[in-house]
Amino acid sequence: MGLVQPDIKIKKLAVFDFDSTLMQGETIAIIADELGLKEEVEKATELAMQGATDFFESLSTRVKLLKGLKESKVNEICTNLPYTKGAKEVIQELKNAGFIVLCFSGGFKNATTPARKILGYDADFSNILHTKDGILTGQVGGEMMFNDSKGVMLQKLQSILKISPENTIAVGDGANDLSMFKYSGTKVAFCAKEIVKQNADIIITKKDLSILLEKIKI
């Protein structure tokens, strides 16, 4: 009789972008609408997501436009964002299948942390809008401020969690998601810019994240 091999469960990781992936729209543009600057911020964001401008420079410039807003108003806006159809369901199904599910965002904790409680992902990594006396200063800091930030963070977490790129799924729509694609065995472009589609294994064009479950084996 041969030896019975132990049932070793393979760890798996799924990483989702937030803006225009888990959530419909760009958080910073929705916040800027409070100041009548939504169109200006949307144009700058679009260029950054296409990879036409440096992400750090674009983020810094856009956040400066938010200077003077009350943090309480930002938090109010960020707790009422329009989440993408199927987002909660796909996250739950992935977790049921043994995935650790994370959110990486070039946006802000004001949005990704409340969404974690609603959508159910395990942790969020994003940026912080600086404030003074409850008012936005127009400055930003954090873990996701550069073109390659998502890839750098993904590598760190794969090392800590001992999860291979082959067992990693990355889902995003913009140019700053490409760095995490480099370290993901399954690359998913969700309603994405052309540059992201060109680097993806799976392309989803309908705004329904539950379609992902039809495209992958979990």
Side-chain angles (χ1 to χ4, degrees), residues 138-180:
Q139 296 178 312
V140 61
E143 304 160 321
M144 294 287 160
M145 293 183 62
F146 301 96
N147 289 330
D148 64 347
S149 292
K150 294 184 180 184
V152 170
M153 181 61 71
L154 181 53
Q155 281 187 292
K156 288 180 181 178
L157 293 174
Q158 285 172 331
S159 178
I160 292 168
L161 297 169
K162 294 181 170 55
I163 298 176
S164 69
E166 290 75 23
N167 291 309
T168 301
I169 297 171
V171 186
D173 75 299
N176 66 324
D177 294 316
L178 293 176
S179 66
M180 67 176 179

Side-chain angles (χ1 to χ4, degrees), residues 15-17 20-21 169-174 177-178 180-181 186-209 211-212 215-216:
V15 184
F16 288 83
D17 169 51
S20 297
T21 301
I169 297 171
V171 186
D173 75 299
D177 294 316
L178 293 176
M180 67 176 179
F181 274 17
T186 304
K187 308 163 183 63
V188 183
F190 180 76
C191 299
K193 309 306 178 191
E194 189 60 35
I195 191 171
V196 181
K197 292 179 182 178
Q198 290 172 2
N199 289 274
D201 303 309
I202 296 170
I203 297 173
I204 297 173
T205 57
K206 186 178 178 181
K207 292 182 179 180
D208 183 352
L209 273 169
I211 294 171
L212 178 61
K215 303 287 186 179
I216 60 173

